[in-house]
Structure formats: C-alpha cells, structure tokens
Amino acid sequence: MAVEFLGIAGTNPASEVTPRTGGPLDLEYTSKLARAHEDNGWDRILFAYHSGSPDPSTVAAYVATRTERINLVVAHRPNVAYPTLTAKTFATLDHISDGRFEVHVITGGSTADQAAEGDFLAKDDRYGRTREFIQILKQAWTSDERFDFAGQHYQFEQSVADIKPLQQPRPRISFGGSSAAAYAVGAAEADIFALWGEPLAGTKEQLATIDAEAAKAGRSDRPTIQIAFRPILAPTEELAWAKAESILGRIKDAQAGGPGKGRFRDPSKTPENAGSRRLLAAVEAGERHDRALWTAPTGLTGGGGNSTALVGTPETVAAALLDYYDLGVRIFSARGYDIYDDAIDFGRYVIPLVREEVVRREAHNRQELAS
C-alpha cells in the first residue's frame, strides 16, 4: 500500500466552530459530505461514535447506497453489542457496501461517556475486553466451523455465522490509543494503528513502541500506521496563519457559549487518556513544531483528540505529511474545521501532491534496489 487518506463522515454540519442548525441527522448533508470525499480523491471516511450520536453503522449503510467507491470505516465500542452479533451486523454491512466496509474499534477514553451506556469497566479492563472482541471478530468472519470462546469478558459455545464478509479474508480492523495497554493490544491485534498528530519526534517514539509490542506478540510486521491532523490551508503562508488565528478565535467564541459549545474538554482538568496527555506535553513544548504543526487549538481545548493542526499552503502541508510518511505512516486522517469545504480543498490541493511525491519516491527506491 502506498498511501491512503481518511476523511470524516458527518450527519450534520456542526463542528467546533460551526453551529448545528437542525437535528442530529441531516440525511441530505450526510450524503453530500460523503460524495464530496468520494469525488475529491479520498479513500475512506470515518463514521464516528459517541454515546448520544446517531448510530454509525446504520448511517454507513445509508451512505453505502449513495456512493460507489469510498470505503466506510465504522467506529464501534465493544461494550454496546456482543461480538458474535457485531460480526454478523458488520458482515451484512460489508455486503450492502459491496466490500467497502472497515471497522475502527474504540476502547473508550472517557469514563463518563462509557458510563452513559452502562459500561463501568476500569480502563485497563476495557483494553482486555477490546483484545477479546477483536479476536472474536476475526474468527467469526473467517471460520466455517463452530467455535467456542472462553475469555475474561466473553464466553460462548459452538458459534458460527452463516454470513461472512464479502471481502476476503476479512475487512480491516483499526484501533487507536497511546497507553501501555493500548500499545500491547493494538500492536498484537489491529491491522491499522491510529495515532493523533504529534511532533515528528513523538511520533517516531510511538512507532518504536508499536514495533516492540508487535515483535513481542510474535508479529513479523507492525500494523499499518495512521495519523490524524486538522488541516488549515490557504494560498500563501501568511493567509494560512491568519486563517489559523481566525479559527482559534472562533473556538474561543464557541467556548464562551457560541457555536460548538459543549464539544470541548474542560481545560482545567487533566485528561483521562494517555493520547491527550501526550498532546498537552507537545503544547507545553511550544505552539509550533517541525514544518507546519500547530498545537494552539490543542491547548485551548484541553488536549482534545485530533486537535493538532497542519498550517500552510497546500505545498507546505503536503511536505509536512511526507515527513510523517518518511517515518512509516501510510494513512493520513484529515478533518478541517469547516468540514465540507475543507474536505474539498484538501482533496483537490493536497492529496494529489502527496500521491505524486509518494509515487516518485517509490520509483526512485525501486531503481536504487535494482542498481
């Protein structure tokens, strides 16, 4: 795999800086945003999960009938459905989408949001449950024979699914986290390991940890690495940074009670999850890092996940992404603050630059190996 791009699906136009003007599920907007990604070079879109949001798997099934190419990545928490049922549900969705389904398994970084759905497991126990959940999904999707499972969190006997995924041997499973427990589970079980955007040095450190855990688990390779940023683009560097400062002002307005209020962590509280604490450490080291990384929104939102930005012209942002490519990252997740317009702009002006350079580098590497 050369390089892939993951965008965000959405069921309404709201973001940290944009008010929601209607209900939680605007089907016209949902289709429009998905097609904007499909028509502008993206490979995948993520249907996010929250305890109170519309069900992502149902929304993905709807979008599958209104798109043709783009892969549909459904976020799923193991606490909300038994894994044998989930395996059948997702195999069915894989058929509905003509083999375009993937799952992003979320262990859960917010105790309060887990509790809202009746889940009171401690965090490390949740990671143990996630490991079992992924193992069961894999076996349910690939086994034609009845099988038993006797784990700490799941037990069943003689299960077999009649419906298997259309994709062979099975759809990809992605996973994210930055704690010791997360590294161990994701490196052992996931096809894709998702990280939030840190400075290059921090990312390199995380990749070394994932490599070590994958080797410890007996894997000969590590999961494909995915990393997430908020792109802020403009025709010149000056305009891009002016736009960045404007977005920061819009976030402050939202926190004061305007659009997007309630979408942020309390900056006065230490985040529960290790990923957010790592992002706040990057904030303490400075607002600007490497070629284009900007941490000011992260500090303002108390270490909110996927809050570090890449700021600059399309050429600058593409070059910054390629710096991460050189570390071994192969999937780039990007979500702008003006979600629909930014999906189009990033697709038109950044994705082609990155793809072209990756092709050039791969051709150069092949020539060097052959010489």
Side-chain angles (χ1 to χ4, degrees):
M1 180 182 71
V3 66
E4 292 184 65
F5 292 89
L6 170 70
I8 190 72
T11 60
N12 61 74
S15 75
E16 297 93 332
V17 298
T18 304
R20 194 174 87 188
T21 56
L25 182 57
D26 180 337
L27 292 178
E28 181 178 352
Y29 176 81
T30 301
S31 297
K32 175 183 170 182
L33 181 60
R35 288 194 298 266
H37 284 88
E38 182 167 78
D39 294 342
N40 288 281
W42 297 77
D43 301 288
R44 310 154 75 226
I45 49 174
L46 172 67
F47 295 80
Y49 191 95
H50 183 270
S51 63
S53 64
D55 174 57
S57 60
T58 308
V59 176
Y62 169 80
V63 169
T65 66
R66 284 154 178 80
T67 53
E68 298 177 355
R69 179 191 59 79
I70 201 155
N71 276 19
L72 312 173
V73 185
V74 175
H76 181 83
R77 286 183 185 163
N79 64 297
V80 297
Y82 208 74
T84 50
L85 171 62
T86 304
K88 294 187 295 182
T89 301
F90 287 164
T92 304
L93 181 51
D94 196 48
H95 281 261
I96 291 172
S97 65
D98 196 24
R100 292 185 285 132
F101 165 80
E102 300 177 29
V103 60
H104 179 63
V105 179
I106 301 175
T107 301
S110 166
T111 298
D113 204 52
Q114 297 292 130
E117 295 184 311
D119 183 14
F120 297 96
L121 276 186
K123 185 178 178 182
D124 282 356
D125 291 332
R126 294 202 296 265
Y127 278 110
R129 179 177 60 192
T130 294
R131 182 191 290 267
E132 292 184 11
F133 185 89
I134 294 174
Q135 291 171 341
I136 293 166
L137 273 189
K138 290 176 180 177
Q139 193 162 1
W141 281 342
T142 57
S143 177
D144 293 323
E145 303 294 331
R146 294 187 177 275
F147 67 98
D148 302 339
F149 192 90
Q152 182 178 354
H153 302 280
Y154 301 109
Q155 299 87 35
F156 56 83
E157 296 177 353
Q158 296 295 290
S159 177
V160 66
D162 185 34
I163 185 165
K164 300 292 192 298
L166 192 62
Q167 297 177 71
Q168 292 298 313
R170 58 174 176 78
R172 291 191 294 183
I173 298 171
S174 59
F175 167 94
S178 295
S179 66
Y183 292 134
V185 172
E189 303 292 346
D191 302 305
I192 298 168
F193 201 118
L195 301 172
W196 287 331
E198 294 187 13
L200 291 165
T203 301
K204 186 175 181 179
E205 175 188 84
Q206 291 208 78
L207 297 191
T209 302
I210 293 168
D211 283 342
E213 290 295 334
K216 191 184 300 183
R219 290 183 67 159
S220 58
D221 61 347
R222 72 176 176 209
T224 300
I225 302 299
Q226 172 182 303
I227 197 164
F229 298 104
R230 309 298 293 268
I232 300 175
L233 305 172
T236 69
E237 298 296 323
E238 293 77 11
L239 287 173
W241 284 104
K243 182 177 178 181
E245 292 297 335
S246 173
I247 286 171
L248 206 62
R250 293 165 69 189
I251 293 174
K252 291 176 182 177
D253 289 344
Q255 290 176 319
K261 183 174 174 57
R263 299 178 67 93
F264 308 105
R265 300 178 187 274
D266 183 346
S268 67
K269 295 181 179 180
T270 301
E272 294 177 54
N273 65 86
S276 290
R277 294 196 298 270
R278 289 183 64 94
L279 293 184
L280 287 177
V283 174
E284 290 178 5
E287 286 192 357
R288 297 193 187 189
H289 299 262
D290 305 319
R291 193 187 298 267
L293 187 69
W294 188 48
T295 65
T298 305
L300 193 60
T301 58
N306 191 13
S307 56
T308 51
L310 292 178
V311 183
T313 65
E315 292 78 11
T316 295
V317 171
L321 293 173
L322 288 161
D323 291 337
Y324 288 90
Y325 177 87
D326 289 340
L327 293 182
V329 176
R330 292 297 179 267
I331 301 176
F332 294 109
S333 172
R335 171 168 59 96
Y337 286 95
D338 296 297
I339 296 175
Y340 177 78
D341 291 340
D342 287 342
I344 294 173
D345 287 346
F346 188 88
R348 286 180 179 175
Y349 303 120
V350 177
I351 289 178
L353 294 177
V354 176
R355 291 198 196 279
E356 289 167 11
E357 178 59 18
V358 167
V359 169
R360 189 197 67 78
R361 292 185 185 188
E362 289 188 340
H364 176 73
N365 291 339
R366 286 194 298 270
Q367 288 177 353
E368 285 199 337
L369 289 173
S371 61

